[in-house]
Amino acid sequence: MNSLPATGFPNPSEDAAHSFRSLLTAMSHPASIQPLTTNLPSVAKLNPAASLIALTLVDHESTVWLDDDLDDETVKQFFKFNCSAPLTKQPNQAMLAFFSHCPSPQDLSGFNKGNATYPDASTTLIIQVKSLNHGNAVTLTGPGIQTEQALKVDGLNKNFWPWFKTNQTIFPLGNDVILAAPDCLTALPRTTKIAEAN
Amino acid sequence: MSQSIISPAIISPATQIDPNYNFAYLNEQTKKMIRRALLKAIAIPGYQVPFAGREMPMPYGWGTGGVQITASILTPDDVLKVIDQGADDTTNAVSIRKFFQRTAGIATTLNTSTATVIQTRHRIPEQKLQQGQILVYQVPIPEPLRFLEPRETETRKMHAFEDYGLMHVKLYEDISQHGHIATTYAYPVMVEDRYVMDPSPIPKFDNPKMNNNPALQLFGAGREKRIYAIPPYTKVVSLDFEDHPFEIQAWDQPCEICGAGDSFLDEVIMDDQGTRMFVCSDSDYCQSRSEVQS
Ligand SMILES: [Zn+2]
């Protein structure tokens, strides 16, 4: 399936530096579209952006949860071999959760939302979407956004934004979301507010 | 990103990395751990994220927290500026700049608007920062409530329950003792109406620059192993009282070198006779203004 070196990145240190910088920019400018800084192949149903995020953030100290479509041998091998990641089936144990497609609010209810003294203990949700160039538009505000930021997404189900609105109400607890399209990514930290959804 | 015209002369170009080092010194696994903490810090503005800090080849007082953040965010394309008390030429600033030249091979500059990453101790540059720039603060004591409550478990609870009454009492004691709030450095701020945060020992003169800044602000405490952040365009308010509003330091005179009336001034001794002068603490700002005038 893939012929990447053991670290996953052709140039591990520099590739990880570039991809982290795009994640840092995405998280500090929510809903801004960040290109993928290294060309990576899909790994079964894990798309290139999700692979990039995994290689950049996951190691033996970060427990990973995979949804049913990603929970196959090829993807599990990728996480074990390239990231040394411990895998879990317990949502509340996950530091990072990877979704091949948009989960329902019920699917998300079991993930760790952090606690009052350690809100950073929450699970980061990496959700694969079809596109961040077209699709239904939403207008967002909050820290990192100067006035407002429009975001078009193809691949979120209709219950996602109502869930995200609820997620925002429990701040400083809550889940941060990274949307992973085949060719780009964006982030929706828990501080981001929905101005209007269509 | 930067609107200024970049003259190549103000950049020291990228150099060869010492082959004995991984890019930017830290190993990839340490960087991953710090990078995860940084993303959490940005998502919870003003909240202190614990991280498993590493020993750095310099003493704690030298900004190891800031150095670890800088090492984890740098790419080979960055242009780094390092300042200590506003100056690029102090021992601390020079040694950190050299450290990253050697271990990351990156370009460096003294010019605020040319830099993509600025590591700082005790100042925010006078020149307005731009979107895309990152300011990394070296932090000695990250916990603004520490002097009121020595126990970490207790200060964590105070932040959890927004129990900031004691902090207001402390500031008000200043007023009853001195007639005004006497705190002039590390003056506490409220971030996004939620977390009280220590801005590091910058003069309170710099506090207003933190509010709604287009740049990303990252804070690293090496000894206490904490990372916190202020995303761009985020509300940062200095704590105060209706009858004693927050005020910044002011001087009776402008800078005696460049004439700036809007910068933070240091009193410096100029010669053996003990002649004193008030000059900009931000040496790049002062110099660039002097060059324009001459
Ligand atoms: Zn001056």
Side-chain angles (χ1 to χ4, degrees):
Chain A
M1 49 101 203
N2 77 69
S3 55
L4 290 171
T7 50
F9 280 128
N11 302 297
S13 197
E14 293 190 5
D15 291 347
H18 285 294
S19 63
F20 175 69
R21 193 61 165 272
S22 65
L23 283 170
L24 189 75
T25 307
M27 200 60 89
S28 49
H29 295 281
S32 67
I33 306 300
Q34 302 299 321
L36 305 187
T37 47
T38 303
N39 283 321
L40 294 169
S42 293
V43 181
K45 286 186 175 166
L46 192 72
N47 78 15
S51 310
L52 190 82
I53 294 162
L55 294 178
T56 307
L57 297 179
V58 178
D59 61 19
H60 69 279
E61 288 173 339
S62 43
T63 309
V64 166
W65 180 97
L66 302 170
D67 76 3
D68 286 344
D69 279 351
L70 294 176
D71 191 8
D72 81 345
E73 275 314 307
T74 313
V75 177
K76 285 201 283 195
Q77 280 307 314
F78 171 83
F79 274 96
K80 283 180 187 162
F81 185 64
N82 294 302
C83 313
S84 314
L87 300 173
T88 182
K89 294 303 284 177
Q90 302 297 320
N92 65 346
Q93 302 287 315
M95 192 181 279
L96 299 109
F98 288 79
F99 298 87
S100 60
H101 58 274
C102 185
S104 72
Q106 295 91 304
D107 293 336
L108 293 173
S109 61
F111 288 95
N112 195 336
K113 287 164 178 38
N115 58 67
T117 42
Y118 290 96
D120 57 308
S122 60
T123 309
T124 301
L125 312 175
I126 294 101
I127 302 174
Q128 295 186 180
V129 294
K130 292 192 189 82
S131 171
L132 291 169
N133 301 313
H134 58 85
N136 292 333
V138 61
T139 304
L140 303 163
T141 62
I145 299 173
Q146 187 172 14
T147 52
E148 51 182 41
Q149 175 74 49
L151 176 66
K152 288 180 180 174
V153 192
D154 182 6
L156 291 177
N157 60 43
K158 66 180 186 343
N159 291 324
F160 176 82
W161 292 111
W163 170 84
F164 191 68
K165 208 166 188 169
T166 312
N167 182 58
Q168 215 274 320
T169 62
I170 60 170
F171 184 85
L173 278 61
N175 300 111
D176 307 317
V177 176
I178 303 175
L179 299 178
D183 59 344
C184 59
L185 59 86
T186 192
L188 300 167
R190 65 195 79 180
T191 48
T192 300
K193 299 168 190 72
I194 303 163
E196 53 186 273
N198 298 316
Chain B
M1 176 205 70
S2 174
Q3 271 134 43
S4 61
I5 299 152
I6 296 172
S7 122
I10 55 180
I11 296 183
S12 304
T15 53
Q16 283 289 330
I17 301 177
D18 184 328
N20 295 313
Y21 294 107
N22 192 34
F23 176 73
Y25 183 81
L26 292 176
N27 64 48
E28 292 307 303
Q29 201 254 311
T30 300
K31 283 191 262 185
K32 271 185 185 173
M33 178 265 298
I34 294 172
R35 285 165 177 169
R36 290 194 299 264
L38 282 167
L39 296 183
K40 286 283 167 64
I42 292 166
I44 317 169
Y47 165 77
Q48 299 163 51
V49 180
F51 77 107
R54 291 294 187 266
E55 295 301 321
M56 298 298 288
M58 55 192 78
Y60 278 124
W62 285 55
T64 55
V67 168
Q68 289 179 81
I69 290 182
T70 299
S72 303
I73 64 170
L74 280 182
T75 75
D77 303 337
D78 274 312
V79 181
L80 178 70
K81 172 182 166 78
V82 183
I83 46 172
D84 178 11
Q85 308 267 16
D88 301 79
D89 59 0
T90 60
T91 315
N92 184 312
V94 170
S95 74
I96 292 173
R97 196 162 57 241
K98 281 188 176 156
F99 174 75
F100 283 115
Q101 280 174 327
R102 194 171 73 240
T103 61
I106 48 154
T108 59
T109 185
L110 310 184
N111 185 269
T112 298
S113 53
T114 305
T116 55
V117 175
I118 303 171
Q119 182 169 329
T120 182
R121 175 173 175 270
H122 298 190
R123 278 309 311 278
I124 299 175
E126 307 291 1
Q127 172 83 48
K128 275 197 169 59
L129 300 177
Q130 315 272 334
Q131 184 169 322
Q133 289 185 301
I134 303 176
L135 186 59
V136 178
Y137 297 75
Q138 300 171 202
V139 181
I141 302 164
E143 178 50 74
L145 308 171
R146 183 63 69 230
F147 67 98
L148 299 165
E149 170 54 66
R151 290 166 297 178
E152 173 73 11
T153 49
E154 293 306 307
T155 53
R156 285 247 150 211
K157 276 184 209 156
M158 290 160 81
H159 286 294
F161 301 113
E162 295 180 73
D163 181 6
Y164 296 132
L166 269 180
M167 178 55 99
H168 281 97
V169 169
K170 192 278 168 188
L171 288 176
Y172 213 85
E173 278 173 3
D174 264 16
I175 296 170
S176 48
Q177 267 183 30
H178 308 279
H180 59 94
I181 299 176
T183 306
T184 53
Y185 287 85
Y187 189 107
V189 295
M190 172 71 83
V191 181
E192 274 299 299
D193 301 316
R194 180 55 185 84
Y195 282 103
V196 167
M197 191 197 91
D198 186 323
S200 86
I202 57 171
K204 66 176 180 176
F205 178 90
D206 285 340
N207 276 24
K209 298 176 189 169
M210 303 183 116
N211 180 48
N212 206 33
N213 197 309
L216 171 63
Q217 300 172 76
L218 303 173
F219 300 77
R223 190 188 294 111
E224 300 207 20
K225 303 180 179 19
R226 294 288 182 276
I227 286 171
Y228 51 102
I230 303 172
Y233 311 113
T234 293
K235 185 178 171 189
V236 180
V237 178
S238 302
L239 301 183
D240 66 354
F241 302 95
E242 230 165 76
D243 49 343
H244 289 275
F246 173 81
E247 282 175 348
I248 60 170
Q249 291 102 325
W251 290 263
D252 300 332
Q253 56 180 104
C255 168
E256 290 177 60
I257 295 175
C258 75
D262 59 354
S263 71
F264 187 86
L265 303 183
D266 281 334
E267 193 177 14
V268 294
I269 298 166
M270 302 305 289
D271 56 30
D272 296 346
Q273 276 72 53
T275 312
R276 285 162 187 275
M277 235 177 127
F278 282 95
V279 299
C280 294
S281 114
D282 183 335
S283 55
D284 169 62
Y285 185 69
C286 198
Q287 203 177 336
S288 59
R289 283 179 48 86
S290 309
E291 280 163 10
V292 169
Q293 285 160 10
S294 60

